[in-house]
Amino acid sequence: MPLVTSKEMFAKAYNGGYAIGAFNVNNMEIVQGITEAAKELEAPLILQVSKGARAYANHTYLMKLVEAAVIETGLPICLHLDHGDSFETCKSCIDGGFTSVMIDASSKPFEENIEITRKVVEYAHDRGVVVEAELGTLAGIEDEVKVSAEDSSYTKPEEVEEFVSRTGCDSLAIAIGTSHGAYKFKPGTKPQLRFDVLEEVSKRLPGFPIVLHGSSSVPQDLVAKINKYGGAMPGAIGVPEDQLRHAASLSVCKINIDSDLRLAMTATIREFFYEHPDKFDPREYLKPARAAIKAVVAHKIVNVLGCDHKI
Ligand code: G3H
Ligand code: 13P
Ligand code: ZN
């Protein structure tokens, strides 16, 4: 089976009350950990590549790793550009075999966001590729872009119909209180997503797939493990999993997770070196790191996304 777009996945997810996991990939062990979990649980999958990942690992290497995963697992896998920052980056991924791209012009004024998104949609649709766009601004860090909590803003529901109809985008990322990275909420506060905003958006866009970025839950056992073995991560707090599960049962069809995989990998490798300070064969620490990623992804598929046995 070749790489697929997310069109059919989203239609089934919307109607079935579940979401597809979109996991960021940067190297072979991450691709393997994610896809092994999805294969065992028969889960459709989106693997996403950021601009930073392309700079780190090279487009062709990532493309070939994902193609290898398709061959090895036989899963329907969509290969997606995460946070495309320009028409040129999107074009390069479309020309280079991705089946889905995100154009993230959410920091630009409304009209400018529409203009650049529409240009990407025209190019992508002519080539059978789907497009995710974003309205509203998430706090946190992605590549070189850092958005402070004060500069973040919830999506305005009254803008979504015009945005979607004028751009022709296939899915829409919205801001309802999630944010990128491991420090999403102030310690001592109770995280609460704005389901009222999600509901208003969904009412205006019936049947339309909504995307949530910044949806790591920052498992406290992983943070504790990192700190136990020499790390220093104070007050790392993520999105409660029950709220993500609720979002997945509504119009949210794609949930983005990266930080939790980073935490799993780092916690495992820190522990390994603490326990085995004499060892230096990368396979010895990358193997358990890959298994830790697999375990996190399996947990998300069953307990957060609800997309197990949906292929
Ligand atoms: O949203 C950002 C993703 O976690 C990707 O992060 O830009 O550091 O690769 P990155
Ligand atoms: P997290 O940092 O919460 O994992 O979000 C990842 C993301 O949104 C990738 O686009
Ligand atoms: Zn994101």
Side-chain angles (χ1 to χ4, degrees), residues 116-129:
I116 178 172
T117 301
R118 192 172 49 204
K119 189 175 169 192
V120 171
V121 167
E122 274 167 20
Y123 190 83
H125 283 185
D126 281 351
R127 290 154 184 83
V129 171

Side-chain angles (χ1 to χ4, degrees), residues 24 48 82-83 102 104 134 138 142 180 213-214 256:
N24 288 70
Q48 54 188 14
D82 191 26
H83 294 285
M102 174 190 194
D104 181 359
E134 179 168 328
L138 272 67
E142 16 169 299
H180 292 105
H213 282 247
N256 286 12

Side-chain angles (χ1 to χ4, degrees), residues 169-180:
C169 66
D170 302 278
S171 60
L172 185 67
I174 64 168
I176 60 166
T178 63
S179 60
H180 292 105

